[in-house]
Amino acid sequence: MYICLCNAITDHDIRRAAADGVRHFAELQSRTGCSDCCGCCEAEARSTLDAAVAQVALDLPILVAA
């Protein structure tokens, strides 16, 4: 699904960016250009990034201290 129509950024692009280490919206904007034009997608882009970052955190292995 397209999140940013101005720059053709999809939810998949945002999830991929989170998987590649993006944790903050400014970082997402820098890497993808998302929400750089009209800004209409900012709320949806932030929400998608937050969910993607949370998912990445859940996928990390759990370390157990001996």
Side-chain angles (χ1 to χ4, degrees):
M1 169 178 79
Y2 281 99
I3 302 293
C4 175
L5 293 175
C6 296
N7 293 308
I9 306 300
T10 65
D11 57 328
H12 181 77
D13 295 326
I14 294 173
R15 286 196 304 274
R16 184 178 331 125
D20 290 343
V22 170
R23 297 295 178 265
H24 304 286
F25 187 70
E27 229 179 322
L28 179 68
Q29 284 185 300
S30 175
R31 285 200 192 187
T32 66
C34 184
S35 192
D36 276 350
C37 290
C38 70
C40 291
C41 63
E42 183 174 340
E44 186 64 29
R46 285 180 182 273
S47 174
T48 302
L49 178 62
D50 289 346
V53 168
Q55 183 63 45
V56 168
L58 291 175
D59 290 342
L60 294 176
I62 297 173
L63 298 177
V64 177

